[in-house]
Amino acid sequence: VIGVVIGKTDVRSFPDRKNIGTERYTFSFTIRDSPTYFINVQSWGREEYIRSLTESFRVGDCVTIENPLIQSKEAEREEKFNPVTPSCYKLLLSENHSVVKTSSRYDTDTRLLSLLHLPVKDPQDYYSLGDIVANGQSLHGRVLNVLAAVMSVSE
């Protein structure tokens, strides 16, 4: 699978239920290969493997994923922590079988890089900040998608 990384989580650790007293590490990222399709990729493993993998690329890089495991996603559980994707699957990276390669800037397809700036939500599924201000009371308690731009950053 070849795509541009459009999102990435931080490394997290959890107690390993199989090996009491040890930790398992994970992180996930989302890749996109067309305006319509993008998929979440999850990796679990030893701390050294996960930290090395997460440091090997960043958002905006084009990557090639070799030998991922394809799994059905559990939409309710997984979409709490990852972007909602149009696929009912996710990719799982295995330390022993999967490889992630980053393309150099010279090898990167400009069509893939243009996908980095496309929203992942339907353009009709957003509220403007003006709508929220005007209708805030009726929207209270609802989860909303907001599309906004940062105008300035200061201390």
Side-chain angles (χ1 to χ4, degrees), residues 45-113:
R46 297 175 303 113
E47 180 177 15
E48 301 81 30
Y49 167 69
I50 295 298
R51 292 209 186 275
S52 172
L53 185 58
T54 191
E55 291 169 4
S56 70
F57 62 88
R58 59 187 182 188
V59 172
D61 285 346
C62 292
V63 296
T64 301
I65 301 172
E66 297 176 359
N67 298 323
L69 179 64
I70 300 168
Q71 287 186 328
S72 297
K73 67 181 179 185
E74 298 171 44
E76 268 187 41
R77 194 176 101 213
E78 296 188 28
E79 291 179 347
K80 286 181 183 176
F81 306 107
N82 293 302
V84 177
T85 62
S87 173
C88 56
Y89 301 100
K90 67 177 179 179
L91 302 180
L92 186 64
L93 300 181
S94 160
E95 183 172 357
N96 297 325
H97 300 100
S98 306
V99 176
V100 178
K101 296 178 182 175
T102 305
S103 300
S104 75
R105 290 285 178 212
Y106 301 107
D107 298 335
T108 301
D109 188 331
T110 55
R111 291 173 295 180
L112 284 176
L113 289 177

Side-chain angles (χ1 to χ4, degrees), residues 6-41:
I6 62 170
K8 188 174 164 185
T9 67
D10 292 328
V11 173
R12 296 176 301 182
S13 67
F14 297 93
D16 189 338
R17 286 183 257 168
K18 293 179 184 175
N19 300 313
I20 305 302
T22 62
E23 303 267 317
R24 289 185 72 206
Y25 288 78
T26 185
F27 88 103
S28 58
F29 58 100
T30 306
I31 62 168
R32 184 177 218 163
D33 67 356
S34 74
T36 310
Y37 296 105
F38 48 98
I39 193 165
N40 291 321
V41 183

Side-chain angles (χ1 to χ4, degrees), residues 126-143:
Y126 291 107
Y127 281 83
S128 71
L129 296 176
D131 288 341
I132 294 170
V133 170
N135 303 304
Q137 196 63 26
S138 65
L139 300 172
H140 182 73
R142 292 186 50 205
V143 175

Side-chain angles (χ1 to χ4, degrees), residues 107-123:
D107 298 335
T108 301
D109 188 331
T110 55
R111 291 173 295 180
L112 284 176
L113 289 177
S114 69
L115 300 173
L116 185 60
H117 304 290
L118 293 178
V120 294
K121 292 282 189 177
D122 179 348

